[in-house]
Amino acid sequence: MESRESQQSPSAPRGGTAVPRPFTVEDYTARMARATAEATAAGLAGLVVAPGPDLAYLCGYTPTAITERLTALVLTAGAEPALVVPKLERPDAEKAVGVAAVRLLDWSDGEDPFATAGPLLDPAGQYGVSDNTWAMHLLGFQAALPRTAFTSLTESLPMLRAVKDTEELDRLAAAGGAADAAYRRILEVDFAGRREADVAADLGALLIQYGHSQVDFTVVGSGPNGADPHHEAGDRVIRTGDTVVLDFGGLKDGYGSDTTRTVHVGPDVPAEVRKVHDLVRRAQQTAFEAVRPGVACQEIDRIARRVITEGGYGEYFIHRTGHGIGTTTHEPPYLVEGEERPLVPGMCFSIEPGIYLPGRFGVRIEDIVTVTTAGGRRFNNTPHELGIVA
């Protein structure tokens, strides 16, 4: 990356790199037991969990490659958890910490995997299924068990992973700290005369440097591109006088970061840019101050939106105020109109109001926040002021 001092990045402490305590078989056993109990309370016969964030969360297993071969964790009240895997992947599955707490069943190429997995399910029951289950696998279960019903986990158990324990909160705090360190460093990098994609590459490299194992996104929306909330960094050359939205995050130790700050290239900031940025900053702060147990998710959205609407820019705030975060960077709960679910301690989510003026510029400020018994706690703590870059 190109910094303004001899094109060398200044040295900085590698913040947020402490290795967390590994999750134990007891942790995964407790998660599977809780998931099974919540499924029963929701009127389900059990859960069918495919490779992805739910499987990693519940038993710690992430296949080397997610393929057309069926892998499924089946949780049913009164039965031992069972994990069905292709025979050739059994050795990898056995290495996962939580798999010690399940019955491991395998099937070989040329065999019908549903002959192995099907008997684990109640043929007349209703099961929650991971949202990212391959269609061919769900259709396979339906063909093998025509009287069994299936529903997505987002609909049936949306809060399965929403309330974090202490170890998870520590990981999210570390991920937020690492993203903050990346932001502080990017302020020292040249913007003017470089492509958005170049700055995005710098952000990705910094996330990795500060301990992320996976970069999920590096939005760099300069000038008019900042009015596109999910702009993909491209070949536009950033110019002096541009306002630039920086939204970036990924996974560190299995848990997500996601933060947004807005910067301006050069010290001469137009009056409307300052006005809009101050309004977004006030909306973000007001919404954060409203976080406390018992407040409905939609109320946080309403509060942020009210500030922006009263400031005259309501039609330009075009997305929800926030989303949950954990083993993925977007998951329940969602801070959006219509979500009446109350906040509870341990929930973690973004608060990210924005204003987007088509063809001109955009502004967004985002922190990850957790609910405490007393209110809210930020996992991102870099300044909310408009950053000035060269």
Side-chain angles (χ1 to χ4, degrees):
M1 69 189 69
E2 298 181 36
S3 75
R4 299 196 294 276
E5 297 181 6
S6 304
Q7 297 186 4
Q8 293 180 352
S9 299
S11 60
R14 289 175 57 85
T17 58
V19 177
R21 174 186 74 79
F23 292 125
T24 66
V25 65
E26 290 78 17
D27 292 326
Y28 291 118
T29 298
R31 289 178 183 180
M32 287 188 282
R34 179 172 59 81
T36 303
E38 290 184 8
T40 299
L44 301 174
L47 305 179
V48 178
V49 183
D54 293 321
L55 186 65
Y57 172 78
L58 288 168
C59 72
Y61 178 45
T62 300
T64 303
I66 298 175
T67 72
E68 74 284 356
R69 293 184 173 96
L70 177 71
T71 296
L73 173 69
V74 179
L75 301 179
T76 304
E80 182 181 12
L83 179 64
V84 177
V85 299
K87 191 176 187 68
L88 79 167
E89 295 176 7
R90 181 173 183 135
D92 287 336
E94 289 173 337
K95 296 174 186 176
V97 174
V99 172
V102 308
R103 180 160 61 108
L104 196 58
L105 305 172
D106 60 46
W107 60 276
S108 298
D109 284 353
E111 298 177 350
D112 177 6
F114 300 100
T116 300
L120 299 172
L121 277 63
D122 179 347
Q126 181 175 20
Y127 286 80
V129 182
S130 302
D131 292 8
N132 57 328
T133 302
W134 279 34
M136 64 183 292
H137 295 156
L138 180 57
L139 292 170
F141 274 113
Q142 290 176 327
L145 301 162
R147 293 188 296 125
T148 302
F150 299 93
T151 180
S152 76
L153 284 186
T154 289
E155 290 195 3
S156 56
L157 290 182
M159 296 295 107
L160 178 64
R161 295 185 278 115
V163 178
K164 275 63 178 180
D165 61 26
T166 299
E167 298 292 338
E168 293 179 286
L169 293 173
D170 287 346
R171 283 167 166 79
L172 284 163
D180 284 355
Y183 174 68
R184 293 187 187 100
R185 292 286 299 280
I186 206 67
L187 293 177
E188 302 167 357
V189 167
D190 286 328
F191 278 63
R194 302 178 67 213
R195 300 179 308 151
E196 292 173 339
D198 298 328
V199 177
D202 289 347
L203 275 170
L206 285 167
L207 287 173
I208 296 297
Q209 178 181 341
Y210 285 102
H212 281 65
S213 60
Q214 176 179 312
V215 177
D216 287 347
F217 48 88
T218 51
V219 172
V220 179
S222 65
N225 290 339
D228 176 0
H230 283 172
H231 172 68
E232 184 172 349
D235 290 333
R236 184 182 187 277
V237 175
I238 302 171
R239 307 164 187 166
T240 298
D242 280 347
T243 300
V244 185
V245 176
L246 304 172
D247 182 0
F248 52 98
L251 296 182
K252 181 182 186 299
D253 297 315
Y255 282 74
S257 69
D258 185 1
T259 187
T260 306
R261 294 292 184 265
T262 302
V263 302
H264 188 78
V265 186
D268 298 326
V269 182
E272 188 172 21
V273 171
R274 287 200 182 278
K275 175 184 177 182
V276 168
H277 191 275
D278 287 346
L279 186 59
V280 171
R281 182 173 59 173
R282 185 154 52 87
Q284 208 270 354
Q285 178 65 24
T286 304
F288 169 73
E289 292 173 355
V291 171
R292 62 184 182 277
V295 174
C297 290
Q298 67 179 5
E299 186 60 23
I300 305 302
D301 178 82
R302 288 173 176 175
I303 288 168
R305 201 166 300 279
R306 186 179 305 126
V307 172
I308 290 175
T309 299
E310 291 176 352
Y313 288 86
E315 66 182 294
Y316 302 109
F317 181 9
I318 58 177
H319 56 69
R320 65 197 174 200
T321 293
H323 58 80
I325 191 168
T327 54
T328 60
T329 48
H330 281 207
E331 61 186 46
Y334 297 104
L335 307 186
V336 66
E337 183 67 30
E339 178 52 84
E340 299 178 352
R341 194 178 310 277
L343 301 180
V344 300
M347 281 184 174
C348 301
F349 44 80
S350 66
I351 297 181
E352 50 178 306
I355 293 174
Y356 309 93
L357 303 180
R360 300 178 61 200
F361 66 90
V363 171
R364 182 163 67 256
I365 299 172
E366 174 185 17
D367 294 326
I368 297 302
V369 171
T370 187
V371 184
T372 72
T373 56
R377 170 192 168 201
R378 284 187 167 101
F379 288 151
N380 296 108
N381 294 288
T382 52
H384 289 172
E385 286 76 19
L386 183 69
I388 302 298
V389 297

